[in-house]
Amino acid sequence: MDTKANILALNTAITEIKNTCPGISNIFVLDESTQLLTKDNSTTEEIATSIAKALASLIEQTVTDGRIETLTCQGPDRKVNFTRCVDNYFVTMTSTEADEKTIANLTRILVPTMIKLQEEKGSLRCKQVPETPEPIKTRQAPLDLASLISPATEFIVENLSGLSIISGSPDTIRVDRALIGQWKEMYGDRKISEATVEEIATGKKVRCKFELIKGSKLEGKGLVQIPDRIQSSLGVKKGTLVRLRPIVED
Amino acid sequence: MVKRGINVTETPLVITVERASLGQEQKTKDYANLHSILKEIREKNEILGFILKGSAYAAIDLDHNEDLAKFAILVSQLANFSKQVLNLHEEDFVRSVVLEGKELKVLCLNIRGNEIGIMMKKSNDDKEILNKILS
């Protein structure tokens, strides 16, 4: 599985773990060489990096085969747990009441499941083009039917702020060139000028226009740039996973 | 199965080192108390060994002599690591650290300046052992 898909799966997993265990205040994932892969919004890059460095040093100095299955450091009010799963370290900060065994078990069930789902989705997407049912033509309700049959793709929310917001509309999201290409490939000459953005956990949807992400830095990273107004109506913020579906017109 | 005795002389390796002059009566009492608790746990819970480092004494009691250096370093590294990690979250004190590997588990804690490291099989209940020490 490619890195983008892997990170998407990890992101979904950490969101689900955090939703299931409300005692978790922070969660992030380090790879085998303790590089930061992904983190939740409440974790700062600085803290994640400092912990990663400390873990790297511990592994290097003490564990010859590099196998730490779990590690729990408990302070008076909080605990920091490290759980190894699928060659990554899942780091969680919790209250002392939270049960680290539950978190470790949940991680070991959820993460492989999410990765497997992402893999299956990836392989389905490759086969999908000739097999996808044609969108049902209707004038009354193109949105609902399209959202039922259009393939959804998951992306990570990125802010659309600063100079970007001046050059774009506050009701327009920015998506990857590859995604637009994929939609064109699937729907041929059919007009697609709008898409639905869906918050995965709540199922809340917003219909909006879309345009290409500007600047190569954000291209190909599984990101969708969403203006603040749309983010607040969906109840999402930077780092949240959302689903995008094209609205195919007649 | 060979039954381990309570007497430290019956275990494969026991080292007791005097590290500083006596005179700290309470600390010595704490150390002695913890040492006897650990010896009891070693017998009853079939742990693989322990290390106890007080301000005046240190004791190491392990099944395998060759693990001594590795284990002492691991306990010390875990203590430093947990201090570093918890300090980042404004926790100024480390209650306990539990490290699980493929087959073994290490529990480290610090009680009134006495550093403790316990090596056990993964199947051992570290919470039960921790509660015994803290009780």
Side-chain angles (χ1 to χ4, degrees):
Chain A
M1 187 163 53
D2 62 23
T3 318
K4 179 186 147 190
N6 197 16
I7 289 176
L8 273 174
L10 292 174
N11 236 312
T12 313
I14 65 170
T15 310
E16 289 306 320
I17 293 168
K18 214 175 163 183
N19 287 342
T20 315
C21 305
I24 297 176
S25 58
N26 302 71
I27 183 164
F28 60 93
V29 188
L30 305 172
D31 70 7
E32 226 174 351
S33 56
T34 71
Q35 295 299 308
L36 180 64
L37 288 179
T38 184
K39 63 177 185 67
D40 66 347
N41 292 329
S42 43
T43 305
T44 63
E45 194 114 12
E46 195 188 343
I47 286 215
T49 315
S50 306
I51 290 180
K53 271 186 193 166
L55 182 68
S57 158
L58 180 78
I59 293 169
E60 195 188 313
Q61 290 174 40
T62 57
V63 189
T64 46
D65 61 354
R67 292 294 292 193
I68 290 177
E69 294 298 324
T70 61
L71 173 59
T72 305
C73 305
Q74 181 161 347
D77 303 313
R78 282 198 248 183
K79 272 193 279 199
V80 181
N81 306 298
F82 298 78
T83 305
R84 192 187 164 104
C85 182
V86 201
D87 292 334
N88 295 320
Y89 292 101
F90 286 74
V91 187
T92 53
M93 271 126 264
T94 65
S95 60
T96 45
E97 288 83 37
D99 183 12
E100 67 270 15
K101 286 209 167 100
T102 309
I103 295 169
N105 289 339
L106 193 65
T107 306
R108 290 192 175 122
I109 294 167
L110 263 177
V111 175
T113 311
M114 294 298 173
I115 290 176
K116 203 175 167 204
L117 277 175
Q118 194 69 41
E119 273 171 352
E120 280 170 6
K121 213 165 131 189
S123 61
L124 269 178
R125 211 175 287 149
C126 296
K127 296 173 195 163
Q128 210 170 26
V129 183
E131 292 166 14
T132 308
E134 287 290 303
I136 298 166
K137 289 183 182 179
T138 170
R139 285 179 188 179
Q140 282 78 29
L143 167 66
D144 291 344
L145 288 170
S147 65
L148 280 173
I149 53 175
S150 305
T153 318
E154 289 174 0
F155 285 86
I156 302 162
V157 175
E158 178 60 48
N159 291 335
L160 186 56
S161 52
L163 288 172
S164 316
I165 201 79
I166 299 168
S167 58
S169 153
D171 297 312
T172 304
I173 58 165
R174 287 186 181 173
V175 300
D176 241 288
R177 188 182 299 273
L179 180 70
I180 295 176
Q182 196 186 357
W183 288 349
K184 272 191 181 159
E185 205 182 322
M186 290 177 76
Y187 296 101
D189 292 326
R190 288 215 167 84
K191 197 179 168 194
I192 306 171
S193 55
E194 290 182 289
T196 56
V197 187
E198 181 188 344
E199 207 281 326
I200 294 171
T202 60
K204 219 181 236 183
K205 287 176 196 166
V206 165
R207 178 180 175 155
C208 54
K209 289 182 179 156
F210 64 86
E211 59 186 22
L212 274 178
I213 283 179
K214 290 183 174 64
S216 54
K217 273 186 186 173
L218 299 171
E219 276 275 356
K221 292 188 175 164
L223 301 171
V224 54
Q225 284 187 295
I226 302 182
D228 288 349
R229 195 197 290 181
I230 300 177
Q231 283 193 31
S232 55
S233 57
L234 279 170
V236 298
K237 48 188 177 177
K238 187 180 171 178
T240 313
L241 207 61
V242 291
R243 254 182 220 130
L244 294 186
R245 279 194 176 94
I247 297 172
V248 186
E249 292 171 27
D250 278 344
Chain B
M1 197 172 83
V2 182
K3 195 178 180 293
R4 263 191 226 108
I6 299 177
N7 193 328
V8 285
T9 53
E10 289 176 29
T11 56
L13 174 74
V14 178
I15 300 172
T16 302
V17 187
E18 191 170 343
R19 297 179 67 220
S21 61
L22 294 177
Q24 302 158 299
E25 207 176 315
Q26 188 53 48
K27 281 185 178 177
T28 311
K29 263 188 194 171
D30 281 345
Y31 174 87
N33 187 28
L34 285 169
H35 197 185
S36 70
I37 293 171
L38 287 171
K39 281 194 283 183
E40 197 186 315
I41 289 172
R42 176 141 161 80
E43 188 205 14
K44 286 186 182 163
N45 295 64
E46 293 183 359
I47 58 169
L48 303 171
F50 69 82
I51 183 167
L52 170 64
K53 207 165 76 182
S55 60
Y57 297 99
I60 304 172
D61 186 351
L62 289 175
D63 277 356
H64 305 289
N65 295 1
E66 63 273 18
D67 292 338
L68 193 151
K70 267 193 211 166
F71 184 45
I73 292 168
L74 178 63
V75 170
S76 157
Q77 293 293 342
L78 280 176
N80 291 339
F81 171 78
S82 52
K83 227 179 269 174
Q84 209 178 333
V85 165
L86 288 169
N87 275 347
L88 285 168
H89 296 282
E90 290 155 8
E91 296 278 286
D92 49 2
F93 175 76
V94 180
R95 279 221 166 125
S96 66
V97 188
V98 179
L99 169 72
E100 276 187 37
K102 266 184 185 168
E103 286 155 11
L104 299 178
K105 204 190 269 187
V106 175
L107 163 69
C108 298
L109 63 156
N110 192 311
I111 298 177
R112 293 181 292 277
N114 292 289
E115 220 171 80
I116 298 168
I118 299 169
M119 195 198 284
M120 61 190 102
K121 284 179 191 161
K122 219 172 165 178
S123 53
N124 280 85
D125 186 348
D126 56 275
K127 279 191 180 143
E128 189 193 325
I129 292 171
L130 181 65
N131 289 337
K132 268 187 195 169
I133 297 170
L134 296 175
S135 62

